[in-house]
């Protein structure tokens, strides 16, 4: 009996110890943040974020890609939407810190874990902050900084800039695209991969002569090209229905030839009266080669714009480990920030000389025409255009004749055909 009692007592002691350990583990789970993150309120942010807002620090502009004044302007615009209330358990992260960590993520492309150590904020919290702040930035800024022109005067201003900077008259914008590579999610299928076999989302955008985006559409189906995205976009539908208030056809500069205003694009886009594309490369004569050269120059605007975007907001230079819907939010917010800083001519975003390609013979991102060692441009292979309208083909032939005439030629064009 004594032995049985001792065994039962021992079992009771062991059970008590096990229950005690389980209770300790259960209580430990109630700690909502690590000891390192707890010290954020006493110690403040780590060194990099403190440097962000110091106008005397030489490297502060590189960390956020904007000046302190520009940061304050953004904070004033979006602060009300991202401000959170304090609770009994903890103080809310301030709107300033939320905007700061979001801009740092866009500028550097660092992982949330890396930013967690810098800001002493949990990685999952940073992920939520970035998504909420990007959505708020797009909501607040899209009306002013990602707006498609809607009046003849606005379209004429863009056309005048293209004529003076890119020597292409009657141009309302240049179409281009960029792929953003993502980590493939679980159970992704082949239709979600692009022609290179990688998982991505595609941006199709219209860009003005000053590298500002005037329209953008992001497709989450990787197998769709930017031209395919254009065919299903709101921009294409508005062009088909004549809702954009383009200026009426007018004579080309120094000429009596009437020409409608139009967008320009590469050979992947359809040839239309309101969208000019290059001649097929095979069997082109001199005037057609000149037109292709002039079109190639105008199409450098979106290539350079995407180049600036990816070089200053470096989240787009690496594979992004987020779901496609979240990448869309990040992309649209980044385009708004890009336009905001371009409009302000921010030296922190584009330092002097960083984007002065108007008089250069190359573009930041390789386009349809590729510069060769000899200094000449060789056209990339293009597709046929059997579906192009006769009107659009006539317009393109008129442009060919105009660009080789004394009224429309420029001195440098003969060197690059």
């Amino acid at each position: 009996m004594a032995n049985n009692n001792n065994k039962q007592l021992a079992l009771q002691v062991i059970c008590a110890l096990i229950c005690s350990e389980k209770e300790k583990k259960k209580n430990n789970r109630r700690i909502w943040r690590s000891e390192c993150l707890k010290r954020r309120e006493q110690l403040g942010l780590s060194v990099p974020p403190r440097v962000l807002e110091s106008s005397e620090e030489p490297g502060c502009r590189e960390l956020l890609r904007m000046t302190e004044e520009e940061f304050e302007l953004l904070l004033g615009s979006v602060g009300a939407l991202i401000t959170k209330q304090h609770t009994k358990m903890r103080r809310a992260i301030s709107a300033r810190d939320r905007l700061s960590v979001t801009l740092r993520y866009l500028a550097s492309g660092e992982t949330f874990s890396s930013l967690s150590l810098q800001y002493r904020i949990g990685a999952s919290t940073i992920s939520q902050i970035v998504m909420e702040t990007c959505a708020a930035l797009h909501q607040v800024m899209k009306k002013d900084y990602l707006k498609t022109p809607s009046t003849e005067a606005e379209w004429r201003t863009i056309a005048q800039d293209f004529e003076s900077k890119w020597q292409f008259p009657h141009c309302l914008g240049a179409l281009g695209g960029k792929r953003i590579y993502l980590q493939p999610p679980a159970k992704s299928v082949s239709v979600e991969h692009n022609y290179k076999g990688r998982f991505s989302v595609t941006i199709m955008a219209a860009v003005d002569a000053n590298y500002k985006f005037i329209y953008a559409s992001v497709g989450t189906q990787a197998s769709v090209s930017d031209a395919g995205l254009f065919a299903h976009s709101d921009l294409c539908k508005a062009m088909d229905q004549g809702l954009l208030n383009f200026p009426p056809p007018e004579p080309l500069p120094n000429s009596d030839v009437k020409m409608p205003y139009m967008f320009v694009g590469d050979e992947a886009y359809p040839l239309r009266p309101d969208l000019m594309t290059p001649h097929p490369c095979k069997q082109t004569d001199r005037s057609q080669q000149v037109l292709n050269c002039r079109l190639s120059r105008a199409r450098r605007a979106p290539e350079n714009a995407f180049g600036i975007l990816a070089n200053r907001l470096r989240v787009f230079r690496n594979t992004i480990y987020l779901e496609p819907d979240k990448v869309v939010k990040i992309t649209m917010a980044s385009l708004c920030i890009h336009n905001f800083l371009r409009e302000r001519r921010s030296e922190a975003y584009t330092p002097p000389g960083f984007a002065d390609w108007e008089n250069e013979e190359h573009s930041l991102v390789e386009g349809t025409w590729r510069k060769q060692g000899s200094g000449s441009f060789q056209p990339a292979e293009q597709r046929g255009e059997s579906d192009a309208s006769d009107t659009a083909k006539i317009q393109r032939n008129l442009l060919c004749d105009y660009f080789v005439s004394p009224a429309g030629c420029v001195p440098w064009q003969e060197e690059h055909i």
Side-chain angles (χ1 to χ4, degrees):
M1 291 290 295
N3 290 335
N4 290 335
N5 290 336
N6 291 336
K7 289 181 180 180
Q8 290 178 358
L9 181 62
L11 288 174
Q12 291 176 358
V13 170
I14 292 173
C15 289
L17 290 174
I18 293 174
C19 291
S20 176
E21 289 297 324
K22 287 183 177 181
E23 189 66 25
K24 286 182 180 179
K25 290 181 179 179
K26 184 178 180 180
N27 291 336
N28 287 339
R29 292 194 191 101
R30 293 177 183 174
I31 298 177
W32 66 275
R33 55 182 176 174
S34 66
E35 292 298 325
C36 176
L37 300 182
K38 277 185 177 181
R39 296 197 298 271
R40 182 180 71 241
E41 294 175 1
Q42 290 79 25
L43 302 178
L45 299 175
S46 58
V47 175
R50 284 180 176 175
V51 173
L52 300 179
E53 298 159 15
S54 172
S55 58
E56 299 177 358
E57 178 65 38
C60 70
R61 296 184 174 192
E62 283 298 312
L63 295 175
L64 291 188
R65 305 292 193 243
M66 63 181 63
T67 63
E68 184 180 4
E69 178 185 0
E70 291 157 352
F71 178 86
E72 293 295 337
L73 286 174
L74 280 186
L75 182 60
S77 299
V78 79
L81 293 179
I82 60 176
T83 299
K84 304 296 181 180
Q85 297 295 323
H86 300 308
T87 67
K88 293 182 180 180
M89 294 185 62
R90 56 179 177 176
R91 293 180 61 83
I93 299 171
S94 68
R96 178 178 295 273
D97 293 342
R98 287 172 176 271
L99 181 59
S100 174
V101 71
T102 299
L103 294 176
R104 182 57 187 157
Y105 170 73
L106 297 178
S108 66
E110 294 184 58
T111 63
F112 294 145
S113 298
S114 175
L115 292 173
S116 174
L117 297 176
Q118 296 177 32
Y119 281 80
R120 297 193 177 99
I121 301 174
S124 61
T125 304
I126 288 182
S127 174
Q128 182 178 354
I129 287 173
V130 169
M131 292 304 110
E132 291 177 352
T133 306
C134 284
L137 285 168
H138 181 230
Q139 177 183 341
V140 170
M141 301 178 72
K142 63 182 179 181
K143 293 182 180 179
D144 296 323
Y145 298 105
L146 196 57
K147 177 187 175 184
T148 302
S150 58
T151 65
E152 289 188 15
E154 291 173 329
W155 288 117
R156 287 182 193 277
T157 300
I158 294 176
Q160 290 169 3
D161 288 341
F162 263 102
E163 183 178 350
S164 61
K165 293 185 176 183
W166 300 100
Q167 291 77 53
F168 201 98
H170 289 210
C171 181
L172 303 175
L175 303 182
K178 176 179 174 57
R179 291 191 181 276
I180 303 172
Y181 294 108
L182 315 180
Q183 175 73 16
K187 300 180 181 179
S188 59
V189 295
S190 59
V191 73
E192 296 173 336
H193 293 75
N194 60 28
Y195 67 99
K196 293 184 178 180
R198 299 187 63 181
F199 192 85
S200 65
V201 299
T202 305
I203 314 174
M204 191 285 297
V207 178
D208 68 10
N210 299 305
Y211 308 144
K212 291 193 298 183
F213 297 93
I214 59 176
Y215 174 83
S217 177
V218 183
T220 57
Q221 190 169 332
S223 58
V224 177
S225 66
D226 50 327
L229 201 55
F230 166 76
H232 297 90
S233 67
D234 295 337
L235 178 64
C236 183
K237 294 176 183 177
M239 291 167 64
D240 290 339
Q241 299 173 15
L243 302 178
L244 296 177
N245 294 323
F246 290 163
E250 295 178 352
L252 292 168
N254 305 317
S255 171
D256 296 329
V257 178
K258 276 197 172 184
M259 185 66 58
Y261 286 80
M262 68 196 79
F263 288 99
V264 298
D266 62 23
E267 69 282 356
Y269 291 90
L271 177 64
R272 305 165 36 130
D274 52 5
L275 175 55
M276 187 58 56
T277 62
H279 265 285
C281 293
K282 297 179 180 179
Q283 299 178 350
T284 53
D285 58 27
R286 174 175 167 273
S287 64
Q288 293 170 348
Q289 292 172 5
V290 169
L291 171 67
N292 286 359
C293 180
R294 299 285 287 270
L295 268 172
S296 174
R297 178 174 172 81
R299 294 200 319 271
R300 282 164 48 186
E303 301 290 350
N304 290 345
F306 281 121
I308 294 171
L309 180 73
N311 275 273
R312 304 309 288 165
L313 302 181
R314 298 200 168 196
V315 67
F316 298 112
R317 297 192 66 175
N318 304 313
T319 299
I320 301 178
Y321 296 90
L322 294 173
E323 294 83 359
D325 291 343
K326 293 182 178 180
V327 175
V328 172
K329 291 182 181 180
I330 290 173
T331 302
M332 300 307 291
S334 298
L335 296 180
C336 292
I337 294 171
H338 169 92
N339 283 356
F340 166 72
L341 296 174
R342 287 295 298 171
E343 187 168 308
R344 290 184 56 84
R345 300 179 180 274
S346 173
E347 293 188 359
Y349 187 65
T350 48
F354 184 84
D356 295 336
W357 297 301
E358 286 86 352
N359 297 319
E360 298 292 335
E361 295 183 356
H362 66 280
S363 67
L364 182 65
V365 180
E366 193 174 33
T368 302
W369 289 70
R370 297 171 172 82
K371 188 178 181 183
Q372 307 298 317
S374 62
S376 62
F377 286 87
Q378 299 297 330
E381 194 164 328
Q382 299 171 329
R383 296 186 295 182
E385 44 189 38
S386 57
D387 296 333
S389 70
D390 292 336
T391 302
K393 292 181 179 179
I394 292 172
Q395 289 176 191
R396 188 166 61 181
N397 291 334
L398 289 174
L399 278 176
C400 288
D401 296 336
Y402 173 75
F403 284 141
V404 295
S405 69
C409 69
V410 291
W412 49 262
Q413 67 186 26
E414 297 294 337
E415 302 174 7
H416 302 304
I417 62 174

